[in-house]
Amino acid sequence: MKKALIVTMSLMVCAAGFALDTTTDSSTKKAPPSLTSLKLPKVVTTEGMIKSLDTAASKLVLDVNGTDVNVSYKMATVWASGKKGKHEDLKEGQKVKIRHVAKGDMQEARSIEIKA
């Protein structure tokens, strides 16, 4: 009987200590950031005409209603007639639709669609 009482008391003390320990740890730990709180760059779509092209630097100047927009297209996917194209398919004077994000004073293209 004494043995059962001692074992029961020991288990209760351990359980109480564990419960106390877990509540202390959970209140001091910070929750991980949620995906909705991450700030992702805003992707914008712009249509215009390629005014100038620097193939060596993978940069172009896009004429959008008389305003020049500097665009880097090094990482962009080029699309022509619904099919994946190449950077070499880009030519001055072409009308294009560009999906891009702002990187300082330069726009970084994600995709470039050559318009027919």
Side-chain angles (χ1 to χ4, degrees):
M1 180 82 166
K2 270 186 172 179
K3 210 178 209 184
L5 183 59
I6 292 173
V7 170
T8 303
M9 292 297 285
S10 297
L11 289 174
M12 288 175 53
V13 169
C14 288
F18 179 73
L20 181 61
D21 187 42
T22 57
T23 56
T24 304
D25 285 345
S26 65
S27 64
T28 58
K29 290 182 182 177
K30 291 184 179 179
S34 68
L35 291 178
T36 56
S37 68
L38 296 176
K39 293 190 179 187
L40 300 175
K42 183 178 179 183
V43 179
V44 179
T45 302
T46 304
E47 292 189 42
M49 184 182 71
I50 298 176
K51 185 174 181 178
S52 66
L53 193 62
D54 181 355
T55 55
S58 297
K59 294 181 181 179
L60 61 84
V61 176
L62 189 67
D63 179 11
V64 181
N65 299 324
T67 303
D68 290 347
V69 178
N70 295 313
V71 180
S72 168
Y73 62 90
K74 188 174 187 175
M75 304 299 287
T77 303
V78 176
W79 297 93
S81 301
K83 297 179 182 175
K84 195 170 180 180
K86 299 178 182 177
H87 288 174
E88 292 80 22
D89 296 335
L90 298 173
K91 308 285 184 227
E92 289 182 10
Q94 285 178 323
K95 291 185 179 183
V96 293
K97 181 178 179 181
I98 299 179
R99 295 188 73 232
H100 56 91
V101 295
K103 294 282 185 171
D105 63 344
M106 181 72 67
Q107 299 297 315
E108 187 175 282
R110 298 289 195 238
S111 69
I112 301 174
E113 179 185 346
I114 300 171
K115 304 300 259 180

